[in-house]
Amino acid sequence: MRKIALGLFTAFLLLSVVFFTSIYFILKNKDFQRALIPHLEKQFHNQITLDSFELSFFPPISLVLKDASLEMKWPGGSVTVTAPAAKLHLKLWPLFLRRIEIGYVQAEDTGAEVRWMAGNEQRSLKLAGWEVALNDIVLGRPVKLSLQGPFLNPDDNFQGEGSFRLASQNGSLKITALELTSSFREADLVPLAGLALEQAPDWIRSGTVSWKGSVSWREGQWSLKGPGALGQVIYAISPTAALTSSPVSLSFDLDAVTSPSTGKIVIRRLSLNSAYGNFEAKGNLPAPDSYDFEVRTADLSLDRLPELLVPLERAIPNKMGFSGQLEMNVSIRGTGGNLSVAGSAEMTQSLLSYATYFTKPKDVPLKLDFESAVDGSGAVKGNFNVRLKDMNLKGSVNRFEPKSGQADINFLTNKFSLEGWEALLAPLARYPAAGNAKVLLTLQGSFKKPEELAYAATLSLEDVKTRYEELEIRDLDGVLEFTNLRSSSGMIDVALPETKFHLEYLHQVAPHESTAVKILSPSVPVYPLLAPLGKLILQCAGEKSRPAVESFQSGLKKFMDPQSVLSNLALSFSWAEDIVSLKEASFGVYGGKFRGAGDVDLDPADPRYNLGVQIEELDLAPLFAHLTGNPLLEGRLFLLANLEGEKLDAAGLAQGLRGEGEFKVAKGRMRSLNLWAAVEPGATDVGFDDMTAAFSLKNGKIITDSLTLVSPRYRATAGGFFTLDGLLNYNATMKVTEPASEFPFQVYGDFANPKIALDQKVSDRSAA
């Protein structure tokens, strides 16, 4: 047995010596060596060029090629590989039969240039300093591949293992398939993004990419699958933007297919995980023919959003604030000439604010849904819906052109409750309200010039309860129109604790902008309304109306007691620029009726007014009781006057007031002035039937040249004046009916306590 084994070993050893000796002499054969390079070039279909080679006889037997170059093609691209030295390990049995078959290849310091078409543009990538190993190089069978080297990084950051298939097509070598498991770390993002996308993004300033996964090439498509990370990415919104973002880092998991010939990238799945939130995306990245892309996030952190939006400060007002979380999905589908963009955003768990005007606390429902179409010019059409609290705001974008800012947009809400809105809108913070509202709004024009926007709005109010200053509004219903396109009108019915109002208005745009208002009320308590009414007028007419408002308030307080109530109020007025036209002011007061009309010019540089006044049956007793503390004058006042002036403040109003008219006091009595007692001491004043006079008003004086007083016992005529602050001076003549006589006298002093001076003859006669 031992001899048999020894014999077999000896025979194997002799055969091996013969085999390797034969191979040695084959390789040393000059004719074989001269034919070696053409043979290899022919085997690789003349796509490999060799400068020279060296033989290595130590197992494994190999060829060391000098300055080797290999070019391979695929549809839409090619690769040229160069190596200063490449070691080809030869298969022994084919070599024994005088054939060259390569077992595997090792090459160091290898360079390559990869070329492909991205749309109509040819792209290329140059690599250098790589280690490449190939095994089982046979046409039509998988060729094992191992790669290592620097990929968009000075260090050896790339490692890959896999296989590819070589095929002979039309006399040349082509790669028909590639399967590679690879990883690289911290490759430069800027050039890599330019390689991956059809148009190189110039807004990415810096950053790195790391990735580990599988890469495959089949039928003209690249397939990528695996996790990776972006590190320290800094970007700007445009290449000229001065501001850039804070460094952004995130991890991702990608499953995508791309076709270099078309520039299209199909993302089967892309997940992004970062400190800002987690995102999911799928679809086609922009391509010449169509779009189909969707992005979702369930936990976008709004607290850190400003870090991402630093370059967008011109697009997003810096008065905006946000925190909390946002759920969002956006889809883009269609072609470049007819693009559909739709999505939704759930912001219930977010806090949003704008300056001091708007604040949405967390847990207040807020959701946005939208769908739109973008045409080839970039113009947008579509619809959107915003739900805030229980308000649903539906919008229709008839057209919006982002470049010019031109827009035509309609807004419509459901009937929603007003409760709690004071917590969201700062201007309403002092006016908590209940009830319902509905809004319709149309905007047309350029959003880049808000002051030139054309608008039309309708506000409907129902059962509104609120408080304005110290005034309680118990029930308010109305429909209000606001527009700068045409005439608009509105109507309000409001109930207060002790009264109610009906208000109508008409706003004219052409030929001159003006507003007409009509107010009706069955009864109006004066004092409770003075302060809120004054503030409302100031808000509407501005500070220029303050002198007139304060004069109006002080005048009412002077002539109206705190319990005064205006009955059957009818007020109609209009204003255009600085001119206020009082068409009608009619109300009952002190048992009588007041009517007035006129104009007021609120121009601060030259204020002036003119008024026509008519009073019927006004009871003077409560008026004088309020003015002086005693009912010094009784009777019913009838007055017709035209008044004018140039000052609107309280002091200037009294001194600058002037005018003329006539008055009559019927069935009256002057409690501070007993004319008959001056004739017959101790006599009781029987009052008078009528006191009439024409008057003129100037410099605070009411001048009556011909005042007539008719009493059952006498008739008096007088001429003189009395002032607005209560002084009087009259020369009068009294004619007694029985016995017929005439008494001249003078009345002067304070109206509350006037003095009477009779002619001396009259005094002597009275004493007698």
Side-chain angles (χ1 to χ4, degrees):
M1 189 67 180
R2 185 177 298 176
K3 291 181 179 180
I4 296 174
L6 183 60
L8 291 174
F9 176 75
T10 303
F12 177 76
L13 182 60
L14 291 173
L15 289 173
S16 298
V17 170
V18 171
F19 179 77
F20 284 105
T21 301
S22 300
I23 290 177
Y24 173 79
F25 284 107
I26 291 173
L27 294 175
K28 296 295 289 184
N29 184 282
K30 298 298 182 180
D31 293 335
F32 182 82
Q33 290 183 8
R34 283 193 296 269
L36 183 60
I37 290 179
H39 179 79
L40 289 174
E41 291 178 345
K42 182 179 180 181
Q43 187 172 344
F44 284 92
H45 296 270
N46 296 318
Q47 290 180 266
I48 183 172
T49 58
L50 304 172
D51 182 51
S52 63
F53 67 91
E54 295 178 356
L55 292 173
S56 174
F57 296 101
F58 295 96
I61 297 175
S62 60
L63 297 176
V64 180
L65 305 180
K66 301 294 186 179
D67 297 325
S69 176
L70 173 65
E71 182 176 5
M72 291 177 287
K73 299 180 180 180
W74 62 82
S78 63
V79 58
T80 300
V81 182
T82 59
K87 182 177 288 187
L88 280 64
H89 298 263
L90 304 178
K91 293 181 179 180
L92 298 180
W93 182 252
L95 186 60
F96 180 74
L97 300 177
R98 305 182 66 85
R99 296 200 313 268
I100 301 295
E101 290 188 13
I102 301 172
Y104 61 96
V105 177
Q106 288 181 318
E108 296 181 357
D109 198 20
T110 303
E113 182 176 3
V114 185
R115 297 171 291 273
W116 69 96
M117 295 299 295
N120 296 323
E121 180 182 352
Q122 182 172 351
R123 300 281 180 84
S124 65
L125 172 64
K126 293 183 178 181
L127 303 173
W130 283 60
E131 295 181 9
V132 181
L134 305 177
N135 198 359
D136 297 331
I137 304 177
V138 179
L139 293 179
R141 293 177 58 184
V143 179
K144 294 182 180 180
L145 170 67
S146 177
L147 300 171
Q148 180 177 335
F151 178 64
L152 302 178
N153 188 305
D155 300 328
D156 287 350
N157 64 330
F158 186 99
Q159 289 183 340
E161 293 184 355
S163 64
F164 63 92
R165 287 179 180 268
L166 285 175
S168 175
Q169 295 180 2
N170 300 323
S172 63
L173 287 178
K174 295 185 181 295
I175 297 176
T176 60
L178 170 68
E179 298 288 341
L180 184 67
T181 299
S182 62
S183 66
F184 61 85
R185 64 184 186 279
E186 297 182 354
D188 193 344
L189 174 62
V190 176
L192 182 61
L195 297 175
L197 301 177
E198 180 180 354
Q199 183 175 358
D202 48 13
W203 48 270
I204 298 179
R205 297 300 175 83
S206 64
T208 63
V209 183
S210 301
W211 187 71
K212 182 178 182 180
S214 62
V215 180
S216 65
W217 164 266
R218 192 179 301 274
E219 297 179 356
Q221 286 189 334
W222 288 98
S223 176
L224 300 93
K225 187 175 182 180
L230 297 176
Q232 301 297 304
V233 178
I234 297 176
Y235 65 91
I237 198 61
S238 71
T240 58
L243 294 176
T244 57
S245 69
S246 301
V248 178
S249 297
L250 55 87
S251 62
F252 63 88
D253 196 350
L254 175 65
D255 184 358
V257 175
T258 178
S259 174
S261 61
T262 63
K264 186 175 182 179
I265 300 177
V266 178
I267 297 178
R268 299 189 182 108
R269 184 179 64 86
L270 172 63
S271 63
L272 302 175
N273 302 301
S274 71
Y276 311 102
N278 301 318
F279 302 83
E280 294 286 339
K282 63 180 181 179
N284 303 334
L285 282 177
D289 53 350
S290 64
Y291 300 77
D292 186 357
F293 197 72
E294 183 177 353
V295 179
R296 295 177 179 271
T297 178
D299 56 357
L300 177 63
S301 174
L302 295 177
D303 301 80
R304 301 193 63 175
L305 192 59
E307 299 176 28
L308 295 174
L309 300 181
V310 167
L312 299 176
E313 70 168 6
R314 292 185 179 180
I316 298 180
N318 55 17
K319 295 182 179 180
M320 289 190 67
F322 25 72
S323 64
Q325 289 187 335
L326 168 68
E327 297 180 25
M328 179 182 68
N329 71 81
V330 178
S331 64
I332 304 174
R333 293 182 174 87
T335 64
N338 185 18
L339 194 64
S340 173
V341 182
S344 65
E346 172 60 64
M347 293 173 277
T348 299
Q349 296 304 315
S350 65
L351 186 150
L352 305 175
S353 65
Y354 179 74
T356 58
Y357 303 107
F358 172 78
T359 300
K360 187 205 82 69
K362 291 183 179 179
D363 298 323
V364 173
L366 174 58
K367 184 177 181 181
L368 167 66
D369 295 286
F370 66 92
E371 56 181 16
S372 60
V374 184
D375 62 21
S377 67
V380 180
K381 295 182 180 180
N383 302 294
F384 61 89
N385 183 78
V386 178
R387 181 185 178 189
L388 178 57
K389 288 173 61 65
D390 62 342
M391 179 192 74
N392 284 325
L393 173 64
K394 295 184 178 181
S396 175
V397 181
N398 300 318
R399 187 171 180 84
F400 175 60
E401 299 175 359
K403 291 183 179 179
S404 65
Q406 290 292 323
D408 182 356
I409 306 176
N410 299 323
F411 303 86
L412 175 64
T413 72
N414 62 327
K415 184 170 68 174
F416 62 94
S417 173
L418 294 174
E419 291 187 24
W421 281 85
E422 68 277 3
L424 278 69
L425 299 174
L428 301 180
R430 297 174 56 192
Y431 315 112
N436 301 308
K438 186 175 182 179
V439 179
L440 172 63
L441 174 63
T442 297
L443 296 175
Q444 295 177 336
S446 175
F447 277 77
K448 293 184 177 180
K449 299 179 180 179
E451 68 281 359
E452 298 180 7
L453 272 177
Y455 63 87
T458 300
L459 172 63
S460 301
L461 301 171
E462 180 181 295
D463 299 329
V464 176
K465 297 174 178 58
T466 185
R467 178 177 291 275
Y468 179 77
E469 303 299 334
E470 64 273 16
L471 185 64
E472 179 186 358
I473 298 176
R474 294 184 174 179
D475 192 5
L476 186 150
D477 296 274
V479 178
L480 310 177
E481 293 180 350
F482 309 94
T483 181
N484 57 1
L485 296 173
R486 49 178 172 75
S487 299
S488 58
S489 61
M491 178 183 66
I492 292 178
D493 289 296
V494 57
L496 305 178
E498 299 178 11
T499 185
K500 58 183 179 180
F501 288 91
H502 174 79
L503 182 147
E504 300 175 6
Y505 72 87
L506 176 64
H507 182 75
Q508 299 278 3
V509 176
H512 301 289
E513 186 175 7
S514 64
T515 302
V517 179
K518 183 177 182 180
I519 301 175
L520 302 175
S521 177
S523 62
V524 181
V526 176
Y527 273 65
L529 297 179
L530 280 182
L533 180 61
K535 292 180 180 180
L536 182 60
I537 294 175
L538 288 175
Q539 289 178 354
C540 294
E543 280 296 315
K544 60 188 177 184
S545 64
R546 183 175 293 277
V549 169
E550 292 178 348
S551 297
F552 175 73
Q553 291 175 326
S554 63
L556 281 179
K557 289 181 178 180
K558 182 175 183 179
F559 290 98
M560 307 289 290
D561 65 65
Q563 286 73 41
S564 295
V565 175
L566 305 182
S567 62
N568 299 320
L569 172 68
L571 182 62
S572 178
F573 63 93
S574 64
W575 74 83
E577 296 182 348
D578 293 334
I579 304 298
V580 178
S581 297
L582 180 63
K583 298 180 180 179
E584 178 190 11
S586 174
F587 53 84
V589 62
Y590 288 131
K593 190 168 186 178
F594 175 93
R595 291 188 181 90
D599 298 295
V600 180
D601 189 342
L602 299 175
D603 184 358
D606 187 22
R608 57 184 62 244
Y609 60 91
N610 64 82
L611 299 172
V613 177
Q614 181 180 358
I615 297 175
E616 296 179 355
E617 297 189 87
L618 186 141
D619 190 352
L620 292 174
L623 173 60
F624 273 84
H626 174 66
L627 291 172
T628 64
N630 292 298
L632 300 179
L633 179 61
E634 299 176 0
R636 294 286 178 170
L637 173 66
F638 297 80
L639 180 140
L640 189 63
N642 292 314
L643 307 174
E644 62 181 12
E646 287 81 23
K647 302 294 183 181
L648 297 178
D649 58 282
L653 188 65
Q655 293 299 318
L657 182 63
R658 61 184 181 273
E660 59 184 19
E662 56 186 33
F663 69 85
K664 171 183 176 181
V665 179
K667 304 298 181 182
R669 182 189 301 271
M670 293 181 287
R671 292 187 176 273
S672 62
L673 183 62
N674 188 347
L675 294 178
W676 188 246
V679 178
E680 294 185 5
T684 302
D685 186 8
V686 295
F688 56 86
D689 294 328
D690 291 300
M691 180 171 60
T692 59
F695 69 89
S696 62
L697 172 61
K698 188 176 182 181
N699 298 326
K701 291 183 179 181
I702 300 175
I703 302 169
T704 56
D705 293 330
S706 178
L707 184 147
T708 301
L709 188 147
V710 178
S711 170
R713 295 183 179 180
Y714 61 87
R715 178 185 180 91
T717 58
F721 68 88
F722 63 91
T723 65
L724 296 177
D725 53 3
L727 299 179
L728 64 134
N729 191 343
Y730 277 92
N731 293 315
T733 300
M734 179 188 297
K735 294 182 179 180
V736 179
T737 306
E738 292 182 0
S741 57
E742 184 175 305
F743 303 96
F745 64 94
Q746 182 182 9
V747 180
Y748 61 94
D750 190 342
F751 185 80
N753 188 22
K755 294 180 175 58
I756 302 176
L758 292 177
D759 184 87
Q760 186 61 41
K761 295 180 180 180
V762 176
S763 300
D764 294 342
R765 179 180 175 186
S766 299

